[in-house]
Amino acid sequence: LEGAYTTRWLHRGESLFEFEWDDSSYTADFSLLHFSENTAGAHGFVTRVIDGMTFLLDNGASTSNHHYVNRSLTITGIPPNQEARMLGQERMVVAYAGATREVKVESSFLPPIVAGCEYRIGGKKGLVYRRLIPPGLGTDESDKYEVPARPPAAHVRK
């Protein structure tokens, strides 16, 4: 991160930097001095329909509670002999229970979806923000000094 901060932000003025660490994807925003975890989207099958707004996802879905909340869920495939109007329907996820893989969307699908429908849930950026400490400062010093996110243009090497 220190190299990206120096090269991309201080020298080129590029504030965003995506990187992988510990099997996760992150985006650093040097202009705000923080980074956040990115979460990939998901896809799979509906295994059971409870009601028009609530259904269960397959075993490939996340086991973390609230993992898909505020993401869009789109029906991307349907079982044979089902209404084609089901395809492409999109709803916002309002609740998710990871232990049971139960998802609830904001409004009913019309026509109602059935078990066996394929779904896609959009990915999300900006989960769990963490503060970045500029190079040269230790964690115990970061609260003592006000450090500008980017030095004035006169100090930027060309």
Side-chain angles (χ1 to χ4, degrees), residues 43-113:
H43 65 280
F45 293 91
V46 173
T47 59
R48 186 172 140 225
V49 177
I50 297 170
D51 61 39
M53 297 171 33
T54 311
F55 44 93
L56 303 182
L57 304 181
D58 62 9
N59 288 338
S62 173
T63 57
S64 298
N65 288 331
H66 316 294
H67 189 76
Y68 300 125
V69 172
N70 294 325
R71 297 201 219 173
S72 63
L73 182 144
T74 306
I75 301 303
T76 58
I78 56 174
N81 304 317
Q82 296 295 323
E83 278 196 64
R85 293 185 305 150
M86 284 186 216
L87 278 174
Q89 288 192 67
E90 184 176 342
R91 299 290 186 274
M92 186 66 65
V93 175
V94 295
Y96 183 72
T100 59
R101 294 178 177 88
E102 181 178 298
V103 67
K104 183 173 185 169
V105 294
E106 64 186 339
S107 60
S108 295
F109 286 95
L110 296 172
I113 63 170

